[in-house]
Amino acid sequence: MSRHALLVSGGALRGPFSVPIIEHVWTQHGPPEELGGTSIGALHCAAISGGDIDSMRKLWMSVDDRRQMLSIPVDLFSGGLADGLVSMKRARKILRRNHIGLRRKIPVHVGIVDAATGEVRQVPLTGPYDRVLDCVFASASLSPAMEITHYWWEGKKRIGYDGGLFEVLPRAVGELGAGDRVTAIFHSPITAAGRRKPTSQRNVSTAWGMLGSQLDDIVDRAVLERDMPYLQSLADRGVIVDVYAPESWDDVGPSWTYDATWRDHRMAAGDRAVARGPIRLEPRS
C-alpha cells in the first residue's frame, strides 16, 4: 500500500495561506500517514494530527491581530513601544485553549536546530502535552531574536530554534519509494518570476520589518539550495511529489504583518493555489 506524507514549510504569520491547501489535500487523498512541519508548519501539523482538519481554520479565525500571538518590546527604528518581550507565551495560551496537538493519531515530526551542535533534527511530537508544545515552539523560535526555547531529544531537554533557518521544509518522510506520495506546501514563491519581491515588502523601518526581510532572504536561499533539490531527489526515486506555493509575494505579504484582513487575503491566495493545482515534479532521466 502506498504512503502519503504531508510536509508544511515555515512561514511565520503567512500561515493562513496553507490552511485551504491542507484542507483540500486532506479531502482529496484522505489523512496522510505522516506529517512533517517546520515553524508555522509544525503548528499546523500538530493541529491536524488528531484528525480534526477544521482545527487550523478555527485557530486562525480566533486571531485578528499579531499582538494576540507575539510581542516585541521596542521598535528599534521608530522608537515606538509595544507590549512585552519577543515572546510566544500568548501563542502558547492560544494553542492550549484550542487543544492544538493534545491528541495525536498521525505521527508528526518537526524541524528543529539544536543550539549546541547546529544539527537540524526531525523531532517527533511525543510525550506529555507540555513537551509537545515545547517542540512546536522550538521549531518556530528565531534565535537570538526570540525567547530561549527547549525541545526534547532522546529523553533530554535541549535548547533549540527554528529549523527553517536551514531547511524550510522538514525531511520527516522516512523511506519512500515508487508510488508513494509527498505533498509539500511552501509559504513563499518557488518560481523565478514569483520570487521577485516588490520594493514595498522590503520594509526595514521597524524591527518587525527588518526581522521579516532578513528571514525572507534566508528562506529564499534555503528553498532553492536545499528544499527543492531534496524534493527532486524524491521524484527521481519514483515518489509522486506535488508542490503548492504562492504565485508571488503579493499573495502572502510581509511575514510579520498580520491582522484579519491579511489573514483573509492569505487564505484567499491559498484557495487560488488549490484552483491552479500543484506543481508535479517529474523524475529526471
Side-chain angles (χ1 to χ4, degrees):
M1 179 179 292
S2 62
R3 294 161 57 221
H4 179 205
L6 174 63
L7 303 180
V8 188
S9 81
L13 295 176
R14 294 178 173 130
F17 168 78
S18 62
V19 169
I21 302 172
I22 295 172
E23 292 170 342
H24 168 74
V25 171
W26 187 286
T27 300
Q28 186 177 44
H29 299 293
E33 282 72 37
E34 295 183 55
L35 294 167
T38 299
S39 191
I40 201 64
L43 187 155
H44 282 179
C45 288
I48 65 174
S49 64
D52 182 7
I53 191 60
D54 298 323
S55 58
M56 293 177 301
R57 189 175 290 269
K58 291 176 184 175
L59 174 67
W60 285 108
M61 295 307 292
S62 72
V63 178
D64 294 328
D65 189 277
R66 181 186 66 209
R67 289 171 294 183
Q68 290 175 251
M69 300 185 76
L70 301 171
S71 57
I72 193 168
V74 178
D75 187 316
L76 299 177
F77 289 88
S78 70
L81 293 175
D83 339 61
L85 295 172
V86 182
S87 170
M88 294 183 287
K89 291 179 181 178
R90 298 174 183 177
R92 194 177 183 109
K93 288 181 181 178
I94 290 175
L95 264 63
R96 276 189 171 280
R97 189 163 63 242
N98 287 273
H99 308 298
I100 299 300
L102 178 60
R103 297 177 181 86
R104 300 169 305 283
K105 299 177 181 178
I106 304 172
V108 184
H109 287 76
V110 299
I112 297 175
V113 177
D114 185 86
T117 66
E119 178 186 355
V120 183
R121 290 175 170 163
Q122 309 303 319
V123 180
L125 294 189
T126 59
Y129 190 38
D130 278 340
R131 293 191 181 187
V132 169
L133 291 182
D134 284 344
C135 291
V136 170
F137 284 106
S139 180
S141 176
L142 295 171
S143 176
M146 290 183 170
E147 65 193 65
I148 294 175
T149 50
H150 297 88
Y151 74 103
W152 297 83
W153 184 257
E154 297 178 345
K156 295 182 180 180
K157 189 177 184 180
R158 305 178 65 90
I159 296 176
Y161 57 91
D162 193 339
L165 296 176
F166 290 86
E167 296 171 350
V168 180
L169 202 69
R171 307 293 193 259
V173 295
E175 291 298 322
L176 295 179
D180 291 330
R181 177 183 298 273
V182 167
T183 302
I185 304 174
F186 290 100
H187 292 93
S188 56
I190 60 174
T191 64
R195 287 196 310 274
R196 285 197 289 271
K197 197 165 190 177
T199 303
S200 61
Q201 288 199 28
R202 291 203 170 274
N203 170 25
V204 293
S205 62
T206 66
W208 285 113
M210 181 176 66
L211 179 62
S213 183
Q214 290 179 340
L215 177 61
D216 290 344
D217 290 341
I218 292 171
V219 164
D220 202 35
R221 288 195 299 271
V223 169
L224 292 179
E225 297 173 5
R226 298 185 182 92
D227 295 315
M228 290 306 293
Y230 164 68
L231 292 174
Q232 185 61 59
S233 72
L234 295 177
D236 291 344
R237 298 209 309 260
V239 177
I240 301 168
V241 180
D242 287 336
V243 181
Y244 290 90
E247 194 167 30
S248 72
W249 289 108
D250 289 331
D251 280 350
V252 287
S255 56
W256 295 103
T257 299
Y258 183 87
D259 56 24
T261 299
W262 271 111
R263 175 195 62 210
D264 297 344
H265 174 85
R266 288 162 178 156
M267 284 189 177
D271 287 331
R272 292 195 297 273
V274 169
R276 288 194 304 271
I279 297 172
R280 173 69 56 85
L281 299 188
E282 300 295 340
R284 293 171 295 193
S285 55

PDB file of all heavy atoms in Angstrom, residues 6 9 13-14 23 37 85 96 106 115 130 133 136 147 150 153-155 158 166 215 251 260 270-271 275 279:
ATOM      1  N   LEU A   6       2.687  14.474   4.259  1.00  0.00           N
ATOM      2  CA  LEU A   6       2.393  15.889   4.051  1.00  0.00           C
ATOM      3  C   LEU A   6       3.447  16.707   4.776  1.00  0.00           C
ATOM      4  O   LEU A   6       3.633  16.563   5.989  1.00  0.00           O
ATOM      5  CB  LEU A   6       1.004  16.239   4.591  1.00  0.00           C
ATOM      6  CG  LEU A   6       0.602  17.722   4.575  1.00  0.00           C
ATOM      7  CD1 LEU A   6       0.536  18.246   3.144  1.00  0.00           C
ATOM      8  CD2 LEU A   6      -0.734  17.920   5.279  1.00  0.00           C
ATOM      9  N   SER A   9       5.949  23.852   5.215  1.00  0.00           N
ATOM     10  CA  SER A   9       7.124  24.677   5.486  1.00  0.00           C
ATOM     11  C   SER A   9       6.862  25.701   6.580  1.00  0.00           C
ATOM     12  O   SER A   9       5.727  25.950   6.995  1.00  0.00           O
ATOM     13  CB  SER A   9       7.564  25.414   4.214  1.00  0.00           C
ATOM     14  OG  SER A   9       6.762  26.569   4.021  1.00  0.00           O
ATOM     15  N   LEU A  13       3.822  34.394  10.092  1.00  0.00           N
ATOM     16  CA  LEU A  13       2.399  34.713  10.118  1.00  0.00           C
ATOM     17  C   LEU A  13       1.751  34.648   8.738  1.00  0.00           C
ATOM     18  O   LEU A  13       0.601  35.067   8.565  1.00  0.00           O
ATOM     19  CB  LEU A  13       2.195  36.091  10.749  1.00  0.00           C
ATOM     20  CG  LEU A  13       2.615  36.143  12.229  1.00  0.00           C
ATOM     21  CD1 LEU A  13       2.486  37.557  12.773  1.00  0.00           C
ATOM     22  CD2 LEU A  13       1.800  35.174  13.073  1.00  0.00           C
ATOM     23  N   ARG A  14       2.466  34.087   7.765  1.00  0.00           N
ATOM     24  CA  ARG A  14       1.849  33.780   6.470  1.00  0.00           C
ATOM     25  C   ARG A  14       1.077  32.465   6.535  1.00  0.00           C
ATOM     26  O   ARG A  14       0.520  31.999   5.541  1.00  0.00           O
ATOM     27  CB  ARG A  14       2.916  33.675   5.384  1.00  0.00           C
ATOM     28  CG  ARG A  14       3.623  34.997   5.088  1.00  0.00           C
ATOM     29  CD  ARG A  14       4.703  34.799   4.048  1.00  0.00           C
ATOM     30  NE  ARG A  14       5.283  36.069   3.628  1.00  0.00           N
ATOM     31  CZ  ARG A  14       6.578  36.319   3.574  1.00  0.00           C
ATOM     32  NH1 ARG A  14       7.452  35.380   3.915  1.00  0.00           N
ATOM     33  NH2 ARG A  14       7.022  37.497   3.185  1.00  0.00           N
ATOM     34  N   GLU A  23      -6.499  21.549   3.795  1.00  0.00           N
ATOM     35  CA  GLU A  23      -7.871  21.025   3.807  1.00  0.00           C
ATOM     36  C   GLU A  23      -8.183  20.297   2.500  1.00  0.00           C
ATOM     37  O   GLU A  23      -8.793  19.222   2.501  1.00  0.00           O
ATOM     38  CB  GLU A  23      -8.853  22.178   4.027  1.00  0.00           C
ATOM     39  CG  GLU A  23      -8.767  22.803   5.414  1.00  0.00           C
ATOM     40  CD  GLU A  23      -9.568  24.090   5.542  1.00  0.00           C
ATOM     41  OE1 GLU A  23      -9.912  24.698   4.484  1.00  0.00           O
ATOM     42  OE2 GLU A  23      -9.844  24.508   6.674  1.00  0.00           O
ATOM     43  N   GLY A  37       6.418  19.240   9.797  1.00  0.00           N
ATOM     44  CA  GLY A  37       6.270  20.682   9.707  1.00  0.00           C
ATOM     45  C   GLY A  37       7.411  21.415  10.368  1.00  0.00           C
ATOM     46  O   GLY A  37       8.057  20.896  11.285  1.00  0.00           O
ATOM     47  N   LEU A  85       8.255  41.308  25.941  1.00  0.00           N
ATOM     48  CA  LEU A  85       9.382  40.750  25.213  1.00  0.00           C
ATOM     49  C   LEU A  85       8.936  40.082  23.930  1.00  0.00           C
ATOM     50  O   LEU A  85       7.748  39.832  23.729  1.00  0.00           O
ATOM     51  CB  LEU A  85      10.105  39.727  26.090  1.00  0.00           C
ATOM     52  CG  LEU A  85      10.780  40.280  27.347  1.00  0.00           C
ATOM     53  CD1 LEU A  85      11.279  39.125  28.190  1.00  0.00           C
ATOM     54  CD2 LEU A  85      11.925  41.192  26.972  1.00  0.00           C
ATOM     55  N   ARG A  96      -3.068  26.103  23.645  1.00  0.00           N
ATOM     56  CA  ARG A  96      -3.653  25.326  24.751  1.00  0.00           C
ATOM     57  C   ARG A  96      -5.172  25.446  24.747  1.00  0.00           C
ATOM     58  O   ARG A  96      -5.892  24.449  24.916  1.00  0.00           O
ATOM     59  CB  ARG A  96      -3.113  25.822  26.089  1.00  0.00           C
ATOM     60  CG  ARG A  96      -1.779  25.221  26.491  1.00  0.00           C
ATOM     61  CD  ARG A  96      -1.447  25.606  27.919  1.00  0.00           C
ATOM     62  NE  ARG A  96      -0.302  24.877  28.393  1.00  0.00           N
ATOM     63  CZ  ARG A  96      -0.333  23.634  28.829  1.00  0.00           C
ATOM     64  NH1 ARG A  96      -1.468  22.965  28.850  1.00  0.00           N
ATOM     65  NH2 ARG A  96       0.759  23.036  29.248  1.00  0.00           N
ATOM     66  N   ILE A 106      -1.849  10.801  14.108  1.00  0.00           N
ATOM     67  CA  ILE A 106      -0.923  10.689  12.976  1.00  0.00           C
ATOM     68  C   ILE A 106       0.465  11.102  13.463  1.00  0.00           C
ATOM     69  O   ILE A 106       0.611  12.135  14.130  1.00  0.00           O
ATOM     70  CB  ILE A 106      -1.361  11.611  11.820  1.00  0.00           C
ATOM     71  CG1 ILE A 106      -2.795  11.291  11.404  1.00  0.00           C
ATOM     72  CG2 ILE A 106      -0.410  11.471  10.632  1.00  0.00           C
ATOM     73  CD1 ILE A 106      -3.382  12.278  10.407  1.00  0.00           C
ATOM     74  N   ALA A 115      20.746  23.976  19.368  1.00  0.00           N
ATOM     75  CA  ALA A 115      21.559  25.167  19.598  1.00  0.00           C
ATOM     76  C   ALA A 115      23.015  24.826  19.887  1.00  0.00           C
ATOM     77  O   ALA A 115      23.920  25.604  19.578  1.00  0.00           O
ATOM     78  CB  ALA A 115      20.975  25.984  20.752  1.00  0.00           C
ATOM     79  N   ASP A 130       2.937  19.302  27.537  1.00  0.00           N
ATOM     80  CA  ASP A 130       3.876  20.418  27.653  1.00  0.00           C
ATOM     81  C   ASP A 130       5.105  20.201  26.769  1.00  0.00           C
ATOM     82  O   ASP A 130       5.633  21.150  26.186  1.00  0.00           O
ATOM     83  CB  ASP A 130       4.319  20.604  29.110  1.00  0.00           C
ATOM     84  CG  ASP A 130       3.293  21.395  29.914  1.00  0.00           C
ATOM     85  OD1 ASP A 130       2.480  22.101  29.290  1.00  0.00           O
ATOM     86  OD2 ASP A 130       3.302  21.293  31.152  1.00  0.00           O
ATOM     87  N   LEU A 133       4.195  20.925  23.109  1.00  0.00           N
ATOM     88  CA  LEU A 133       4.174  22.362  22.836  1.00  0.00           C
ATOM     89  C   LEU A 133       5.586  22.939  22.835  1.00  0.00           C
ATOM     90  O   LEU A 133       5.905  23.823  22.035  1.00  0.00           O
ATOM     91  CB  LEU A 133       3.305  23.081  23.863  1.00  0.00           C
ATOM     92  CG  LEU A 133       1.804  22.797  23.783  1.00  0.00           C
ATOM     93  CD1 LEU A 133       1.051  23.613  24.832  1.00  0.00           C
ATOM     94  CD2 LEU A 133       1.245  23.082  22.399  1.00  0.00           C
ATOM     95  N   VAL A 136       6.958  22.274  19.385  1.00  0.00           N
ATOM     96  CA  VAL A 136       6.325  23.121  18.369  1.00  0.00           C
ATOM     97  C   VAL A 136       6.926  24.520  18.405  1.00  0.00           C
ATOM     98  O   VAL A 136       7.284  25.101  17.367  1.00  0.00           O
ATOM     99  CB  VAL A 136       4.793  23.181  18.572  1.00  0.00           C
ATOM    100  CG1 VAL A 136       4.175  24.261  17.678  1.00  0.00           C
ATOM    101  CG2 VAL A 136       4.166  21.825  18.264  1.00  0.00           C
ATOM    102  N   GLU A 147      12.670  34.469  22.576  1.00  0.00           N
ATOM    103  CA  GLU A 147      12.990  33.823  23.845  1.00  0.00           C
ATOM    104  C   GLU A 147      13.658  32.469  23.624  1.00  0.00           C
ATOM    105  O   GLU A 147      13.504  31.845  22.569  1.00  0.00           O
ATOM    106  CB  GLU A 147      11.698  33.618  24.649  1.00  0.00           C
ATOM    107  CG  GLU A 147      10.744  32.650  23.957  1.00  0.00           C
ATOM    108  CD  GLU A 147       9.343  32.679  24.552  1.00  0.00           C
ATOM    109  OE1 GLU A 147       8.693  33.730  24.432  1.00  0.00           O
ATOM    110  OE2 GLU A 147       8.921  31.664  25.118  1.00  0.00           O
ATOM    111  N   HIS A 150      13.026  25.270  24.325  1.00  0.00           N
ATOM    112  CA  HIS A 150      13.579  23.941  24.570  1.00  0.00           C
ATOM    113  C   HIS A 150      12.797  22.882  23.796  1.00  0.00           C
ATOM    114  O   HIS A 150      11.623  23.069  23.472  1.00  0.00           O
ATOM    115  CB  HIS A 150      13.540  23.607  26.063  1.00  0.00           C
ATOM    116  CG  HIS A 150      14.369  24.524  26.908  1.00  0.00           C
ATOM    117  ND1 HIS A 150      13.867  25.711  27.418  1.00  0.00           N
ATOM    118  CD2 HIS A 150      15.660  24.440  27.327  1.00  0.00           C
ATOM    119  CE1 HIS A 150      14.814  26.312  28.114  1.00  0.00           C
ATOM    120  NE2 HIS A 150      15.903  25.571  28.082  1.00  0.00           N
ATOM    121  N   TRP A 153      14.905  15.519  23.196  1.00  0.00           N
ATOM    122  CA  TRP A 153      15.571  14.608  22.265  1.00  0.00           C
ATOM    123  C   TRP A 153      16.229  13.484  23.069  1.00  0.00           C
ATOM    124  O   TRP A 153      17.034  13.744  23.956  1.00  0.00           O
ATOM    125  CB  TRP A 153      16.625  15.363  21.455  1.00  0.00           C
ATOM    126  CG  TRP A 153      17.309  14.551  20.400  1.00  0.00           C
ATOM    127  CD1 TRP A 153      18.567  14.016  20.458  1.00  0.00           C
ATOM    128  CD2 TRP A 153      16.792  14.188  19.117  1.00  0.00           C
ATOM    129  NE1 TRP A 153      18.867  13.349  19.309  1.00  0.00           N
ATOM    130  CE2 TRP A 153      17.788  13.437  18.456  1.00  0.00           C
ATOM    131  CE3 TRP A 153      15.581  14.431  18.475  1.00  0.00           C
ATOM    132  CZ2 TRP A 153      17.611  12.921  17.172  1.00  0.00           C
ATOM    133  CZ3 TRP A 153      15.415  13.919  17.198  1.00  0.00           C
ATOM    134  CH2 TRP A 153      16.413  13.178  16.561  1.00  0.00           C
ATOM    135  N   GLU A 154      15.808  12.252  22.758  1.00  0.00           N
ATOM    136  CA  GLU A 154      16.350  11.085  23.458  1.00  0.00           C
ATOM    137  C   GLU A 154      16.243  11.240  24.973  1.00  0.00           C
ATOM    138  O   GLU A 154      17.163  10.930  25.729  1.00  0.00           O
ATOM    139  CB  GLU A 154      17.807  10.832  23.036  1.00  0.00           C
ATOM    140  CG  GLU A 154      17.934  10.501  21.553  1.00  0.00           C
ATOM    141  CD  GLU A 154      19.363  10.291  21.107  1.00  0.00           C
ATOM    142  OE1 GLU A 154      20.277  10.684  21.864  1.00  0.00           O
ATOM    143  OE2 GLU A 154      19.561   9.724  20.020  1.00  0.00           O
ATOM    144  N   GLY A 155      15.087  11.753  25.397  1.00  0.00           N
ATOM    145  CA  GLY A 155      14.803  11.868  26.815  1.00  0.00           C
ATOM    146  C   GLY A 155      15.444  13.045  27.517  1.00  0.00           C
ATOM    147  O   GLY A 155      15.292  13.202  28.732  1.00  0.00           O
ATOM    148  N   ARG A 158      16.749  20.005  25.655  1.00  0.00           N
ATOM    149  CA  ARG A 158      17.813  20.713  24.970  1.00  0.00           C
ATOM    150  C   ARG A 158      17.289  22.057  24.448  1.00  0.00           C
ATOM    151  O   ARG A 158      16.086  22.242  24.292  1.00  0.00           O
ATOM    152  CB  ARG A 158      18.352  19.881  23.800  1.00  0.00           C
ATOM    153  CG  ARG A 158      18.820  18.478  24.191  1.00  0.00           C
ATOM    154  CD  ARG A 158      19.291  17.705  22.989  1.00  0.00           C
ATOM    155  NE  ARG A 158      20.477  18.308  22.414  1.00  0.00           N
ATOM    156  CZ  ARG A 158      21.724  17.984  22.768  1.00  0.00           C
ATOM    157  NH1 ARG A 158      21.942  17.095  23.709  1.00  0.00           N
ATOM    158  NH2 ARG A 158      22.748  18.563  22.175  1.00  0.00           N
ATOM    159  N   PHE A 166      17.615  26.653   8.222  1.00  0.00           N
ATOM    160  CA  PHE A 166      18.499  25.806   7.419  1.00  0.00           C
ATOM    161  C   PHE A 166      17.716  25.013   6.373  1.00  0.00           C
ATOM    162  O   PHE A 166      18.133  24.906   5.231  1.00  0.00           O
ATOM    163  CB  PHE A 166      19.272  24.841   8.322  1.00  0.00           C
ATOM    164  CG  PHE A 166      20.302  25.506   9.172  1.00  0.00           C
ATOM    165  CD1 PHE A 166      19.975  26.054  10.399  1.00  0.00           C
ATOM    166  CD2 PHE A 166      21.619  25.626   8.741  1.00  0.00           C
ATOM    167  CE1 PHE A 166      20.923  26.685  11.184  1.00  0.00           C
ATOM    168  CE2 PHE A 166      22.574  26.254   9.507  1.00  0.00           C
ATOM    169  CZ  PHE A 166      22.221  26.790  10.741  1.00  0.00           C
ATOM    170  N   LEU A 215      14.607  37.278   7.323  1.00  0.00           N
ATOM    171  CA  LEU A 215      14.094  35.911   7.295  1.00  0.00           C
ATOM    172  C   LEU A 215      13.734  35.491   5.884  1.00  0.00           C
ATOM    173  O   LEU A 215      14.032  34.366   5.458  1.00  0.00           O
ATOM    174  CB  LEU A 215      12.876  35.797   8.212  1.00  0.00           C
ATOM    175  CG  LEU A 215      12.165  34.442   8.252  1.00  0.00           C
ATOM    176  CD1 LEU A 215      13.109  33.353   8.751  1.00  0.00           C
ATOM    177  CD2 LEU A 215      10.924  34.506   9.124  1.00  0.00           C
ATOM    178  N   ASP A 251       0.829  37.485  -2.862  1.00  0.00           N
ATOM    179  CA  ASP A 251      -0.162  36.549  -2.322  1.00  0.00           C
ATOM    180  C   ASP A 251      -0.093  36.442  -0.804  1.00  0.00           C
ATOM    181  O   ASP A 251      -1.097  36.158  -0.151  1.00  0.00           O
ATOM    182  CB  ASP A 251       0.051  35.150  -2.911  1.00  0.00           C
ATOM    183  CG  ASP A 251      -0.535  35.001  -4.303  1.00  0.00           C
ATOM    184  OD1 ASP A 251      -1.274  35.907  -4.735  1.00  0.00           O
ATOM    185  OD2 ASP A 251      -0.257  33.978  -4.950  1.00  0.00           O
ATOM    186  N   ALA A 260      -6.743  40.723  10.596  1.00  0.00           N
ATOM    187  CA  ALA A 260      -7.814  39.930   9.997  1.00  0.00           C
ATOM    188  C   ALA A 260      -7.846  40.073   8.474  1.00  0.00           C
ATOM    189  O   ALA A 260      -8.146  39.117   7.751  1.00  0.00           O
ATOM    190  CB  ALA A 260      -9.158  40.341  10.604  1.00  0.00           C
ATOM    191  N   GLY A 270      -4.491  30.987  -0.833  1.00  0.00           N
ATOM    192  CA  GLY A 270      -4.455  29.533  -0.739  1.00  0.00           C
ATOM    193  C   GLY A 270      -5.537  28.880  -1.569  1.00  0.00           C
ATOM    194  O   GLY A 270      -5.313  27.846  -2.221  1.00  0.00           O
ATOM    195  N   ASP A 271      -6.728  29.476  -1.576  1.00  0.00           N
ATOM    196  CA  ASP A 271      -7.816  28.966  -2.423  1.00  0.00           C
ATOM    197  C   ASP A 271      -7.418  29.018  -3.901  1.00  0.00           C
ATOM    198  O   ASP A 271      -7.708  28.085  -4.670  1.00  0.00           O
ATOM    199  CB  ASP A 271      -9.085  29.797  -2.205  1.00  0.00           C
ATOM    200  CG  ASP A 271      -9.753  29.516  -0.865  1.00  0.00           C
ATOM    201  OD1 ASP A 271      -9.623  28.394  -0.365  1.00  0.00           O
ATOM    202  OD2 ASP A 271     -10.397  30.438  -0.326  1.00  0.00           O
ATOM    203  N   ALA A 275      -7.006  26.029  -6.736  1.00  0.00           N
ATOM    204  CA  ALA A 275      -7.635  26.076  -8.063  1.00  0.00           C
ATOM    205  C   ALA A 275      -6.605  25.871  -9.176  1.00  0.00           C
ATOM    206  O   ALA A 275      -6.894  25.234 -10.193  1.00  0.00           O
ATOM    207  CB  ALA A 275      -8.360  27.411  -8.246  1.00  0.00           C
ATOM    208  N   ILE A 279       2.300  21.930  -8.520  1.00  0.00           N
ATOM    209  CA  ILE A 279       3.391  21.668  -9.455  1.00  0.00           C
ATOM    210  C   ILE A 279       3.845  20.230  -9.224  1.00  0.00           C
ATOM    211  O   ILE A 279       4.237  19.865  -8.116  1.00  0.00           O
ATOM    212  CB  ILE A 279       4.563  22.643  -9.227  1.00  0.00           C
ATOM    213  CG1 ILE A 279       4.112  24.082  -9.494  1.00  0.00           C
ATOM    214  CG2 ILE A 279       5.764  22.266 -10.108  1.00  0.00           C
ATOM    215  CD1 ILE A 279       5.146  25.116  -9.112  1.00  0.00           C
TER     216      ILE A 279
END
